[in-house]
Amino acid sequence: GAVVSQHPSWVICKSGTSVKIECRSLDFQATTMFWYRQFPKQSLMLMATSNEGSKATYEQGVEKDKFLINHASLTLSTLTVTSAHPEDSSFYICSARDPGTSYNEQFFGPGTRLTVL
Amino acid sequence: GQNIDQPTEMTATEGAIVQINCTYQTSGFNGLFWYQQHAGEAPTFLSYNVLDGLEEKGRFSSFLSRSKGYSYLLLKELQMKDSASYLCAVVDSNYQLIWGAGTKLIIKP
């Protein structure tokens, strides 16, 4: 199946700093990528939908000025957590929709575990 | 509103069979996914159903009834490595994935 990578796989930062997470589709072009957040023992929560070349669509309750998303190419989307605080500590997962599959399956990256001290 | 229900946790014995149910109420329906997620890892694809009936893939099978808003994932010949969370997700009319909270499956020897 299609492969999606994420970098870094884990990051620890101080409160108030910004963290950038990269999501890449390695063997297909993804016009649409998704960013999820998952707190312990909870399900995935969609944060935003990222379309190549246009502004991201944020879910209700997600601050777009705090979670900056850039989808500058068909294989790369980035999520920047600005002025991170301890409550932003979570598991962030991206996925990319492969238009080549018959049902537009989403392929997930391995996730990034963010810990804000 | 949109709602996906699955049991929070299930326990089964190695070598046995377990069925994980998922019921849904969504605005539109364009298919249902089952994903497996091990602790600390991202979800991995297991199955996709868009038509009624049973789809079999090795030890795993998935069933869908659109009229009942119901699906199940059937795992046979359980192995210890099957201990994981199993997520049910429905594609709604906007082609967005609506996620269930997941079912934590514990396999005992």
Side-chain angles (χ1 to χ4, degrees):
Chain A
V3 180
V4 175
S5 70
Q6 254 182 269
H7 177 79
S9 55
W10 61 270
V11 57
I12 301 173
C13 69
K14 292 182 178 180
S15 184
T17 60
S18 294
V19 175
K20 180 186 280 189
I21 303 170
E22 292 186 352
C23 177
R24 294 180 184 272
S25 57
L26 298 185
D27 51 2
F28 66 99
Q29 293 185 327
T31 53
T32 304
M33 289 184 171
F34 303 88
W35 286 96
Y36 293 89
R37 181 167 52 183
Q38 186 176 34
F39 292 106
K41 299 184 180 181
Q42 295 186 23
S43 188
L44 299 171
M45 292 178 54
L46 180 65
M47 298 176 67
T49 301
S50 170
N51 293 299
E52 186 266 338
S54 63
K55 290 183 179 180
T57 302
Y58 289 82
E59 295 301 300
Q60 195 171 10
V62 178
E63 301 174 56
K64 56 185 173 183
D65 293 333
K66 179 172 181 63
F67 299 98
L68 302 178
I69 291 173
N70 185 288
H71 193 160
S73 78
L74 287 172
T75 58
L76 173 64
S77 176
T78 60
L79 167 69
T80 302
V81 183
T82 62
S83 187
H85 288 93
E87 57 265 31
D88 298 323
S89 298
S90 187
F91 192 45
Y92 292 86
I93 308 173
C94 75
S95 70
R97 181 180 286 162
D98 183 354
T101 61
S102 58
Y103 39 80
N104 292 151
E105 179 185 343
Q106 288 187 31
F107 295 90
F108 287 86
T112 297
R113 186 161 301 283
L114 171 63
T115 301
V116 184
L117 302 177
Chain B
Q2 311 212 82
N3 196 47
I4 310 281
D5 284 317
Q6 6 176 178
T8 304
E9 187 173 297
M10 299 182 70
T11 303
T13 305
E14 189 177 15
I17 299 173
V18 71
Q19 177 175 311
I20 303 174
N21 296 324
C22 171
T23 58
Y24 62 88
Q25 291 176 309
T26 56
S27 57
F29 179 84
N30 283 297
L32 185 147
F33 286 95
W34 282 98
Y35 282 88
Q36 180 190 61
Q37 185 178 26
H38 285 99
E41 299 180 11
T44 55
F45 170 82
L46 288 179
S47 67
Y48 173 77
N49 295 68
V50 68
L51 299 177
D52 291 349
L54 185 69
E55 296 273 347
E56 296 186 77
K57 191 184 296 184
R59 294 190 298 115
F60 294 5
S61 302
S62 56
F63 171 83
L64 175 67
S65 169
R66 288 171 296 172
S67 62
K68 295 181 179 179
Y70 167 70
S71 172
Y72 67 72
L73 180 69
L74 190 71
L75 292 76
K76 304 176 184 177
E77 301 170 17
L78 286 170
Q79 301 174 10
M80 297 303 293
K81 67 178 182 179
D82 297 329
S83 293
S85 287
Y86 291 85
L87 305 172
C88 171
V90 172
V91 185
D92 71 5
S93 57
N94 294 319
Y95 290 92
Q96 296 279 38
L97 272 179
I98 311 299
W99 292 88
T103 298
K104 182 179 180 180
L105 177 63
I106 300 169
I107 309 295
K108 294 185 175 180

